[in-house]
Amino acid sequence: MDDLLTTQQAAVRAGVGPTAIKRWADMGLLPCVRTAGGHRRFRVEDLAAFLARQSTTQSDREAEATQDEDLVTLFLGAGTVQEVEGGLLVLRGQHGAWHRAAPVVGRALVEIGERWARGEISIIDEHLASERIQRAVSRLVEAMPVDGSGSSVVLTTPTGDDHLLGLALVELCCRERGLSTRWTGRATPPEELLRLLERGDTQIVAASASVASGDHDALDAWLRVVGPGCQRSGVDLILGGEGAWPEASGFGLRLRTFEELNAFLRGREARRGSRP
Ligand code: B12
């Protein structure tokens, strides 16, 4: 890994902060590899190519910042759930697909978290915003019909993680690809999840661990129950979010971005389609 740059070194070369580097990497725009400890590393050539590709003009970037700001204002505002839903649909229209719009929503949520951490908004503002976003996303999900011919996904969070909005975005991406979804959400005992899988009507489990799931051992313990259960039931297990998922447990596929999720689902569809 001698020729690889750390996030900090890449940030210095690009003239931006480390958060921007991480964000570009997590959005799949800047290729990165991970060390055994899960840290991002960047090839010098990849960074150079990325910076050269940055043909976005200053005004494009300003437009993006304005869009982010508008979304935060919408989420924190006093509008109705329907207004949030409308704003999300406009965003989907601008980006062409939910897996491209979802990272923009994610950025707005991070910004809301930062405003709360800086004391600029209260906890109740954050709760009101999260609840309206969650409801708006549910309405969008339910408005997308599924015909039952696609795979069925169960959406869940590992024990102790109450952050559901990343998972809600995953659900949007799945539904857009025609998959049916079932939501077990937070606080699902892993043994109960396995009971559901034994019914035989689930093909994918998508788990989301937020950045608050920093306890590597707790995630490992969850994975050691759910991982073998998925294998026994022939279910694909995907692990997402910024949580500290163990890197080499042998269970589950670690996906970091919605682009990766979309590519995984597309690949799965192609494999299913090629079967006699
Ligand atoms: C909204 C929110 C809440 C809401 C959640 C409501 C809900 N319905 O989800 C509530 C109020 C419940 C909450 C509670 C808490 N929260 Co909170 N919360 C947030 C906030 C503002 C947004 C969280 C969120 O939805 N993010 C969505 C995205 C942005 O999160 P993500 O997990 O990184 O996922 C991204 C990708 O990885 C991807 N993704 C996610 N899952 C998956 C799955 C797959 C398969 C794929 C492909 C991709 C994918 O999607 C996302 C979008 O890009 C964050 C701020 C932040 N920086 O995230 C704080 C934050 C996560 N919370 C925090 C804290 C401390 C807490 C509490 C401990 C507060 C408390 N004292 O009670 C509790 C913990 C509850 C628990 N046991 O989990 C801290 C965590 C700090 C840390 N490093 O541990 C944060 C970072 C706030 C801060 N700045 O300090 N929170």
Side-chain angles (χ1 to χ4, degrees), residues 61-135:
R61 274 196 288 274
E62 276 166 17
E64 189 180 276
T66 308
Q67 189 186 50
D68 284 9
E69 181 64 32
D70 288 350
L71 206 53
V72 172
T73 306
L74 176 70
F75 290 163
L76 288 174
T80 60
V81 170
Q82 286 80 359
E83 282 171 75
V84 174
E85 188 186 353
L88 289 171
L89 271 176
V90 169
L91 190 73
R92 157 68 181 77
Q94 284 162 345
H95 291 267
W98 280 119
H99 70 272
R100 294 199 203 98
V104 185
V105 179
R107 284 208 301 272
L109 289 164
V110 170
E111 173 60 23
I112 289 174
E114 283 168 6
R115 288 191 192 184
W116 168 71
R118 290 195 300 265
E120 291 169 16
I121 60 167
S122 70
I123 194 80
I124 193 71
D125 295 326
E126 191 209 88
H127 279 232
L128 288 170
S130 319
E131 196 53 42
R132 284 186 321 142
I133 298 162
Q134 178 96 41
R135 287 179 187 216

Side-chain angles (χ1 to χ4, degrees), residues 106 113 126-127 130 134 160 162-165 170 208 210 212 240-242 258:
E126 191 209 88
H127 279 232
S130 319
Q134 178 96 41
D162 293 344
H163 295 90
L164 297 171
L165 297 172
V170 171
S208 167
S210 76
E242 292 292 307
F258 292 105

Side-chain angles (χ1 to χ4, degrees), residues 6-11 14 16-32 34 38-42 47 50 103 107 110 211 242 256-257:
T6 63
T7 301
Q8 187 60 41
Q9 288 166 333
V16 295
T19 315
I21 295 287
K22 285 183 195 163
R23 195 168 71 220
W24 291 333
D26 293 348
M27 288 171 73
L29 300 174
L30 173 60
C32 80
R34 296 268 173 177
H39 297 290
R40 300 170 187 80
R41 292 289 183 268
F42 304 90
L47 180 65
F50 170 76
R107 284 208 301 272
V110 170
V211 68
E242 292 292 307
R256 291 181 185 277
T257 63

